[in-house]
Amino acid sequence: MKKEAQFLLILLFLGISTLQGQLDKINFKNKGIASLETGYTITKVRTALNKKNTYIVATSFEGTVLGISYEGKILWKNKLSGFMNHDIWCQDINNDQVDEILVANADGTIYCLSSTGKLLWEFKKNTAPMYAVCAVKKGAKTYVVAGGFDKSVYYISSDGEMIKEIKSSTYSIEKPWAKFKKDLPESNVSTANFIRPIPQKNGDDVLAVLGTNNHMNVPGTMYLFKPLEAKPYRKDKIVLKEKRIRVIGHFAVEDYAVPGEQMVILGTSSHVSDSAILLYNPRTGEITYHKNTKIPFGYDVTHAVTIKDKNKTVFFTRVRNQIRLLDLSLNEKTVERVLGKYAYYDLWKDPKTNFILLASSQSGGSGIHIINTQNKSWKKDFEALNPSGKIETILANTKEAREELKKYQAPKTGKKQLPVYLMTEKITPKVAALKTKIEQNYTSPVFLNSKHLPEVENWDRSSLANEKFRKKRDRRKKYVLTQQQSVDLLSKEYKNAPGLAYWAGHGNDPYMFSLATTKKVLDAANGKKTVLIYPEMEDHSKDLNFVVDNLMYPLADYAKDKNANIFLRSKNVFWLGSNYLDAWSGLMSGSYADVFVPSMEETTDKTMELSLAGRTGMWASGAVNGWGTRAVPDNTAFDRSRQYGSQQLPNHFLRMLIFHTANGAQYINNFPVNQEYISMYWELIAKGVLYVPKREEIVSFSPVHISMKSPDEHFLEDGSSVKWTIKYNEEFEKNNPFVFSRMNGSWPGAPVTQWDFSRYAAGVKERRLNFLAPYNNGLVLITPPQEGVFAAKNVARGLLKDNLHPLYKNILKEYITDGHSYFSKDGKQTFSADTYYKTIEKSIAENAKLLPITVEGDVAWVVAQIAPKKLRLTLVDNGYLNPTAKQAVLHFNTIQPTKIVDILNKEVFTVDNKATAITVPLGLFRFIDVELENELK
């Protein structure tokens, strides 16, 4: 027998022995899947070796790193910085046969942990988040290699000392693009989306750096280096003619084709319609593309490795709730689909056992799931998998709350609420009866018809004075309808419905229908409600100024007496920035308060707590008389390179919708994920448990508000550059403190600065998904200036103090900003954000004592007066994707409660030293009535 064959047999024997040893440890219970409960939302999972023993290494949503045995025992935990971990790599870097654990953290640090979870060393060059880390071998030495959003790659010794920095400007070929030259980012620089070793036959590694400059639209370039060399020896752009390749979210190295011949498997991070795997040959640079098909709507990362299935090597691909088994010929016609109930955050193949490890469910799960693909039952076990832990608790808690809601009888003398307009609900057979019951017995919510329009109007635009919009068309639409066809198509939707909501235009093309056509549709409504949706209206250029004057204001004038609204679904920092530009002064004056509705596309944003303060500040000021919100799968995509937006259980949506509605949101643009689950929201509104307040009924606004003068240009640019990854400028960061900062695409998950509004006003610590910010001292509104040289005179909206609850009449405190600095009201003094914030932070804390109630804890909350001597307090678990049971401490500042009761489960709470503690169950919310001794005035 040849030596090579003997060697292969030995490896096979060792592999079988190893697998059997691990099988003996794991309690599969005669199944193909074993689930380990951790109590944490696990976002990344790996395996590590401690000499001959394999164990699991995982990171949680909040950045805790855990060591877990295959039996499910948590061996150790390390909270590290308390910020998210973008990458983990496990490898022996000091030749002691024990893997170290390398962690790339959003605070800009590379952490190295021992096999017992002890911090061995840390490396930090600046504050830009670290995004990728691995280790590479060269001869007898192993080096740590890391990179982040400062556009450099670092070689680090096994002791944590920097050996070498390679700036991407010395090798990068990435080219940016922009609508306007002034917005063009730096050229020939890139950030490392992935850094990975590619093993070679001689025992050394090649270092692969997948560089990019945009985490939405650029798959990037593969740069291949020999370790420690300054220049790559290969540069291969990830591009194929006539193929739409989206950004890469997964990187695995396998030798499935020819032993010893490595191949890189890449998976996209994208809408599932663009879901694909790509095979990259590092020897030739050849790229093979395969598009996944038949995947329901959603956003996700495509994870792919290889396994043995029925004695054949196949690709094992996970995307959304599917596992797809694809043969090596990439024949989509023969793919086998295994349909599970949930999507998962990560996939890892244990190189020692070939077990497949799945991280927690994206819906808030807390388990790690181990798949033994050699067990014939694993496919049916995956289809049946119901994660225990947090998912199980969310479902149980929701079921209990719904049973309590069924028993709840609204008081006959209850106050009439504002109507809530459900604009885009999909009525499935399972919820049709509930909708009918609500419509027959309650006045709210109002179910508008929703019309999706793949075809729009083809009209003569030659008279448009703006060249861009004369030519502009949206690639998602077919421009084929006549005016009459458009009017007929839309007007029939009013029949047997209280109204209609539809896209009348888009930021890409606001003129999908001519102004004349939209007017005819409003006429055909005959007084029924119409909501005209305009998504992504976030530009702050001269082109959009043209649209405002040529389309928005004329349409708003016509809509004033038509029971119609213009739903501006803007993005980024529009409602605390661009709306204060001169073009929108008509909207901000309040002259169109009954027409315009500010709403948001929060996709790719990391500033949800700011947009909430901006929209509610407009509403409170009287600029608008209603505001809206949106729940859609890509809300969770704050980092487009890792789009985990396939939550099958929309608990995060339910809590966000409840919080926004309790703050007065009436226009709801909801994307149906699981309407049977989300329909609880309808019932809460219908029965008045979820109280929809007028602005003058809310008593949880902070007396301190921030007013926005003409916005700083860099603030606007930073807040809208959310897709570029290359915006970090160390010198600029050091010398330019901003009131609102770290908003561009270089800061996913990063800590906010000490002087940032988000920290001292909203109570959040990171640029992430703060839909449910705690605002422990009350919601700090961002408003139009009220006093001094920056205040508009004689505007229709009136004064903030006259639009709010009477208690605010004499206690409001205003500070002026442009997003960069603070200003005196006479405009003569400028105050730096990094020092003056202390004055405002102190003012917010002190003036919070003038509110009847403040709430301490990790909860979202709002208080409204529902009767002269009664307040309704809404409490919500604020762990948007990371739900946990929370304790809220209520502080009674200016009131003396006589009774505090949960209106659903009837639990009564007592007051101890002017405070009350209330537990909010995991994934849930509570509605508390506080009865008062004296009337609140």
Side-chain angles (χ1 to χ4, degrees), residues 874-893:
T874 303
L875 298 170
V876 184
D877 168 9
N878 79 343
Y880 185 65
L881 293 181
N882 184 35
T884 57
K886 303 292 197 311
Q887 185 173 72
V889 179
L890 283 54
H891 297 281
F892 303 105
N893 302 308

Side-chain angles (χ1 to χ4, degrees), residues 919-937:
T919 299
V920 180
L922 184 153
L924 223 59
F925 29 80
R926 298 190 80 163
F927 305 97
I928 309 295
D929 273 357
V930 181
E931 297 181 15
L932 309 178
E933 190 172 37
N934 299 306
E935 185 175 337
L936 184 66
K937 296 181 180 179

Side-chain angles (χ1 to χ4, degrees), residues 423 447-451 493-502:
M423 297 158 45
F447 295 85
L448 301 180
N449 266 4
S450 173
K451 183 66 177 176
E493 295 297 323
Y494 291 103
K495 187 177 181 181
N496 300 321
L500 169 66
Y502 71 97

Side-chain angles (χ1 to χ4, degrees), residues 461-470 511 543 546 550:
R461 303 192 191 191
S462 61
S463 62
L464 283 183
N466 180 278
E467 182 182 7
K468 174 183 176 179
F469 291 114
R470 278 202 307 273
Y511 293 95
D543 288 313
F546 171 82
N550 180 265

